């Protein structure tokens, strides 16, 4: 379990072991170290060794470099708070800038060993480092739900000054912000003066005129940080693999989708509620991402605002990760719009073959997803306007169905020679509840005659008022949907009205998801209509069925995904009674619709049913005995 503890920043680890707390407001020095050269090294290794071996070799080089840099940091009592690909943000508590500057200069000396990396075939790639130091007060938060993952954050104007200084620094330089320079005074050996884009003075330092004492972290005995405390710092799948000794399975080369979300609105310096606001937002973001089985990997705060980085496809992969990412983006945008303290949300989504896994030093590492798709996603986030979701064309091509898109002109982004094709993801298409049309196939179905004959017999029985339930189950690719299409064609020829929908792999926790489109069709609703018009249509339909059930109308909001306010009756019902009353109402409505015409209810991909949808299948199934309804379930 000590392996897992290296995912916790060193000062947090010491605090956990001693039972002390790190103050929210603290003074010290922030250090940003950015490694350059890994992109050309990545390309060289992939060309020589292939994508898989090249990624493994890259991780080796990345870890060796980080081990040298973080060893310098820990010698001076600093901690890595955040990894950003090939860069780290560090904090040295109580430092006037001396230790941070000495550490940065030490990092530059350590990087000289990696100035030229020679690959197996003799290709030489130059690696370098630029570093920035800023001093002053920061606010340090722990945000997020421990059940998902907690994140260590430092924020405030000191971090903004650090970021502004880093953007002016060049390879092999250490640059100080005005506060750090003023704090060090003539102790800093200044080789050159610079300015930020806003005209703030900066200084490039060549050294220090005095010796700085080291403050190495004291070693912690094994078991000093309990597994219960460790697991809250790690994504659950990562923690489980580490716990079971499967560390090597964390490192993979696999397709993944990256999502970056920029946001503003929180004053980290002056707002006393900043920590609570950020925590609320991050927890809700984690809830949305968890629903789609995505992972929140990092939270970064700098001079250009704050941004989150999430990945889909790692550690857990799905065949529809692009669709999951697009769906999550729409929900995250709506989530932020509902919070009055969050503004300026911009989202970028891209995909690619990514290197996933743990990287860093022997004493501090992180789990992340790295690759060209990650870089592109961040560029798209930066190019987006507030309220926009920009998506690369390859993601749109995979996730196009079910979403509303607006084509945009290709844009030029850093790191790409050619313009990148993009689209604006405007939202999710609300599908109307319509009758299933007879499918058109150019070729007839081959085989399945016995199965089709049996279903035809059941369809005839149901049309005569003896309801039936038929299940079609088989492995993927065996023709379940093709057989279901033939059943729809049979239903049309017999004058049976068909309604249907399919479960989604990410919908196992979304109540009644597969039933929404079916009940919209039965009630004749168009989800594009205003809420008031849809409610009026429901009122009219319930009055036709039985005026006495009209007070239960608000219960239908759950199955139709409509925000219908409760009335005096429904407001008084507890969860158990609401569920049973809703199911009884839906059965009454189904009986009324079936009196007009025989029905076919088709539910596909039922292996992804959410619990309430499954319960409703059971409730309706028990009432079909005297109804002209065939329920077809495809697994």
């Amino acid at each position: 379990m000590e392996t897992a503890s290296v995912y916790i920043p060193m000062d947090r680890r010491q605090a956990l072991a001693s039972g002390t707390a790190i103050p929210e407001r603290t003074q010290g020095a922030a250090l940003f170290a950015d490694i350059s050269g890994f992109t050309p090294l990545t390309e060289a290794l992939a060309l020589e060794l292939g994508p898989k071996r090249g990624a493994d070799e890259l991780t080796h080089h990345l870890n060796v470099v980080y081990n040298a840099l973080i060893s310098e940091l820990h010698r001076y009592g600093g901690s890595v708070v955040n990894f950003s690909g090939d860069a780290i943000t560090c904090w040295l508590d109580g430092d006037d800038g001396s230790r941070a500057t000495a550490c940065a200069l030490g990092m530059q000396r350590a990087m000289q060993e990696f100035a030229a990396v020679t690959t197996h075939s003799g290709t030489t790639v130059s690696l370098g480092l630029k570093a920035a130091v800023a001093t002053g007060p920061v606010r340090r938060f722990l945000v997020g739900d421990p059940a998902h993952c907690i994140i260590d954050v430092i924020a405030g104007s000191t971090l903004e000054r650090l970021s502004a200084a880093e953007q002016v620094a060049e390879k092999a330089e250490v640059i100080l912000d005005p506060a750090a320079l003023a704090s060090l005074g003539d102790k800093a050996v200044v080789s050159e003066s610079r300015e930020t884009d806003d005209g703030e003075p900066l200084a490039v330092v060549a050294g220090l005129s005095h010796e700085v004492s080291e403050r190495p972290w004291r070693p912690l005995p094994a078991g000093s940080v309990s597994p219960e405390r460790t697991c809250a710092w790690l994504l659950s799948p990562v923690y489980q693999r580490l716990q079971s000794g499967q560390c090597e399975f964390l490192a993979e080369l696999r397709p993944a989708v990256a999502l970056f979300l920029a946001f503003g609105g929180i004053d980290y310096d002056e707002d006393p509620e900043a920590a609570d606001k950020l925590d609320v937002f991050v927890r809700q973001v984690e809830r949305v991402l968890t629903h789609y089985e995505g992972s929140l990997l990092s939270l970064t705060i700098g001079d250009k605002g704050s941004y989150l980085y999430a990945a889909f496809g790692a550690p857990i992969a799905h065949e529809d990760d692009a669709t999951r990412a697009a769906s999550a983006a729409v929900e995250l945008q709506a989530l932020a719009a509902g919070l009055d303290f969050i503004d300026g949300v911009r989202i970028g989504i891209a995909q690619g073959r990514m290197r996933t896994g743990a990287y860093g030093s022997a004493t501090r590492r992180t789990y992340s997803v790295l690759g060209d798709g990650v870089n592109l996603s961040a560029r798209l986030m930066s190019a987006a306007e507030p309220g926009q979701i920009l998506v690369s064309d390859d993601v749109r091509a995979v996730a196009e169905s079910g979403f509303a898109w607006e084509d945009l002109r290709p844009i030029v982004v850093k790191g790409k020679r050619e313009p990148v094709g993009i689209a604006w993801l405007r939202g999710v298409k609300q599908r109307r509840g319509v009758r299933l049309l007879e499918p058109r196939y150019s070729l007839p179905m081959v085989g399945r005659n016995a199965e089709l004959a049996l279903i035809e017999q059941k369809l005839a029985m149901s049309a005569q008022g003896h309801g039936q339930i038929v299940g079609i189950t088989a492995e993927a690719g065996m023709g379940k949907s093709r057989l279901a299409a033939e059943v729809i064609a049979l239903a049309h020829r017999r004058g049976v009205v068909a309604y249907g929908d399919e479960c989604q792999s990410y919908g196992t926790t979304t109540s009644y998801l597969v039933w929404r489109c079916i009940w919209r069709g039965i009630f004749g609703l168009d989800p594009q209509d205003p809420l008031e018009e849809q409610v009026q249509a429901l009122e009219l339909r319930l009055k036709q069925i039985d005026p006495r059930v009209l007070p239960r109308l608000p219960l239908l909001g759950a199955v139709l995904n409509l925000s219908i306010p409760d009335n005096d009756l429904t407001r008084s019902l507890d969860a158990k009674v609401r569920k049973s009353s809703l199911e009884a109402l839906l059965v009454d409505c189904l009986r009324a619709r079936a009196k007009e015409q025989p029905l076919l209810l088709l539910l596909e991909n039922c292996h992804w049913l959410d619990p309430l949808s499954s319960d409703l299948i059971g409730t309706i199934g028990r009432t079909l005995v005297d109804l002209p309804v065939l329920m077809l379930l495809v697994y």
Side-chain angles (χ1 to χ4, degrees):
M1 200 52 61
E2 288 303 302
T3 300
S5 70
V6 301
Y7 288 79
I8 306 174
M10 184 61 80
D11 55 353
R12 291 284 187 188
R13 212 181 311 169
Q14 298 275 340
L16 287 172
S18 63
T20 60
I22 290 178
E24 179 186 300
R25 294 182 184 271
T26 186
Q27 187 92 13
L31 186 158
F32 184 85
D34 187 7
I35 309 167
S36 61
F38 273 114
T39 298
L41 180 60
T42 301
E43 295 172 351
L45 292 173
L47 186 64
E48 290 180 17
L49 305 175
K52 180 64 174 72
R53 283 191 59 203
D56 292 340
E57 187 71 9
L58 175 68
T59 301
H60 167 73
H61 287 289
L62 194 63
N63 289 341
V64 169
V65 173
Y66 267 132
N67 203 59
L69 300 184
I70 295 174
S71 293
E72 286 292 320
L73 177 66
H74 286 177
R75 283 204 302 128
Y76 288 96
S79 281
V80 177
V81 176
N82 183 46
F83 286 83
S84 302
D86 48 12
I88 50 176
T89 301
C90 314
W91 179 249
L92 295 90
D93 200 53
D95 181 30
D96 65 354
S98 299
R99 286 187 289 126
T101 304
C103 176
L105 292 168
M107 287 180 172
Q108 290 291 8
R109 289 191 294 272
M111 278 301 298
Q112 293 175 8
E113 181 181 347
F114 314 107
V117 176
T118 303
T119 66
H120 296 284
S121 66
T123 301
T124 300
V125 178
S126 176
L127 298 183
L129 179 78
K130 64 177 182 176
V133 174
T135 60
V138 299
R139 297 183 70 181
R140 194 163 179 188
F141 314 133
L142 285 180
V143 298
D145 186 345
H148 300 305
C149 186
I150 56 176
I151 300 174
D152 194 9
V153 182
I154 51 175
S157 59
T158 300
L159 269 295
E160 295 174 5
R161 286 186 277 107
L162 177 72
S163 181
E166 171 271 324
Q167 293 174 34
V168 180
E170 296 179 0
K171 184 178 176 180
E173 289 183 344
V174 175
I175 197 164
L176 305 183
D177 86 316
L181 181 61
S183 178
L184 292 177
D186 58 6
K187 298 176 183 177
V189 180
V190 178
S191 61
E192 185 179 342
S193 296
R194 299 260 177 86
E195 287 186 350
T196 67
D197 294 339
D198 297 330
E200 292 293 323
L202 302 171
V204 179
V205 294
L208 293 171
S209 62
H210 68 296
E211 185 176 347
V212 178
S213 299
E214 297 179 2
R215 262 181 46 179
W217 292 108
R218 59 180 176 85
L220 291 175
S224 56
V225 181
S226 68
E228 292 74 19
R229 291 189 171 187
T230 297
C231 67
W233 289 85
L234 287 163
L235 296 168
S236 180
V238 174
Y239 178 80
Q240 294 300 328
R241 289 190 182 187
L242 290 173
Q243 192 178 36
S244 60
Q246 298 178 337
C247 306
E248 67 275 14
F249 293 110
L250 289 173
E252 298 172 289
L253 189 68
R254 65 200 299 178
V257 182
L259 182 153
F260 276 81
L261 182 153
F263 65 96
I266 301 178
D267 185 342
Y268 297 108
D269 286 306
E270 303 298 334
D271 187 351
E273 298 180 351
D276 292 336
K277 290 178 179 178
L278 185 61
D279 186 46
V280 166
F281 181 52
V282 171
R283 285 174 181 256
Q284 294 195 32
V285 167
E286 286 179 327
R287 176 182 53 78
V288 171
L289 295 175
T290 300
H291 174 72
Y292 293 101
E293 295 192 328
S295 302
L296 179 59
L297 299 181
S298 67
L299 166 60
T300 303
I301 297 174
D303 69 323
K304 298 189 184 306
S306 310
Y307 65 87
L308 299 162
Y309 166 38
F312 297 81
I316 302 173
H318 313 85
E319 61 183 14
D320 58 347
D321 279 312
T323 300
R324 290 167 180 261
S327 300
V330 174
E331 285 196 32
L332 290 173
Q333 191 179 63
L335 162 66
L339 299 173
D340 58 6
F341 53 85
I342 297 294
D343 60 27
V345 170
R346 297 172 288 123
I347 299 177
I349 304 175
Q351 69 177 0
R353 202 172 188 192
M354 315 283 202
R355 188 270 165 191
T356 72
Y359 70 93
S361 75
T363 53
R364 175 74 169 101
R365 65 175 66 103
T366 190
Y367 175 88
S368 195
V369 179
L370 306 174
D372 184 61
V374 177
N375 300 331
L376 178 56
S377 175
R379 306 294 183 201
L380 295 183
M381 174 195 70
S382 298
E385 297 292 333
Q388 265 191 331
I389 304 172
L390 294 187
V391 178
S392 61
D393 274 353
D394 54 351
V395 172
R396 175 186 173 168
V398 178
E400 182 162 9
S401 176
F403 298 94
W405 303 92
E406 180 177 328
D407 293 317
L408 300 176
R409 292 178 180 273
I411 62 173
V412 178
V413 299
K414 182 180 178 181
K416 293 287 185 180
R417 295 180 180 178
E418 300 296 328
V420 175
I422 59 172
W424 180 358
L425 173 56
R426 302 301 298 261
V428 177
K429 283 183 180 177
Q430 288 282 356
R431 290 180 296 166
R432 293 186 60 189
V434 296
R435 299 179 182 182
L436 295 177
L437 301 177
E438 183 173 349
R440 302 291 182 183
Y441 286 93
S442 58
L443 297 174
M445 185 176 71
V446 177
R448 308 297 183 207
N449 293 329
E451 292 88 346
L452 192 58
L454 177 61
I455 296 174
E456 188 170 13
Q457 176 188 355
K458 299 299 182 182
L459 188 62
M461 294 174 63
S462 67
Q464 295 171 4
H466 305 289
Q468 301 292 312
I469 302 174
V470 175
I472 300 175
T473 179
E475 295 295 328
M478 295 297 290
K480 300 184 298 296
S481 295
R482 184 66 178 87
L483 180 57
E486 289 297 315
V487 177
I488 295 172
L490 279 173
H492 276 268
R493 290 196 292 270
R494 290 181 171 272
V496 176
V497 179
Y499 298 103
D501 203 356
E502 60 181 346
C503 303
Q504 302 295 331
S505 62
Y506 52 81
T508 54
T509 58
T510 302
S511 299
Y512 300 114
L513 182 61
V514 71
W515 284 105
R516 289 177 184 175
C517 192
I518 294 173
W519 287 106
R520 285 173 189 155
I522 291 174
F523 288 120
L525 301 180
D526 186 341
Q528 305 304 324
D529 289 341
L531 175 62
E532 295 78 10
E533 292 185 15
Q534 296 188 61
V535 172
Q536 289 174 5
L538 286 173
E539 289 177 349
L540 179 60
R541 183 58 177 154
L542 293 186
K543 285 179 181 178
Q544 293 171 345
I545 294 172
D546 185 347
R548 292 174 297 179
V549 303
L550 191 58
R552 287 189 281 164
L553 184 148
L555 299 177
L556 295 173
V559 76
L560 295 170
N561 196 31
L562 294 176
S563 299
I564 305 176
D566 275 321
N567 55 32
D568 291 341
L569 172 65
T570 58
R571 195 178 298 113
S572 65
L573 304 179
D574 61 26
K576 184 176 181 180
V577 176
R578 288 181 74 94
K579 178 176 179 289
S580 61
S581 184
L582 169 61
E583 291 174 345
L585 176 58
L586 291 173
V587 167
D588 291 340
C589 295
L590 183 65
R591 284 185 176 277
R593 181 66 183 90
K595 287 180 180 178
E596 301 169 1
Q597 203 167 7
L599 303 177
L600 166 66
L601 304 181
L602 170 60
L603 286 74
E604 293 205 66
N605 292 332
C606 287
H607 43 279
W608 288 322
L609 273 173
D610 62 273
L612 290 181
S613 290
S614 180
D615 289 349
L616 185 56
I617 287 175
T619 299
I620 290 177
R622 288 189 292 271
T623 66
L624 294 186
V625 62
D626 59 348
L627 294 180
V629 177
L630 172 68
M631 186 156 56
L632 183 62
L633 309 175
V634 182
Y635 298 81

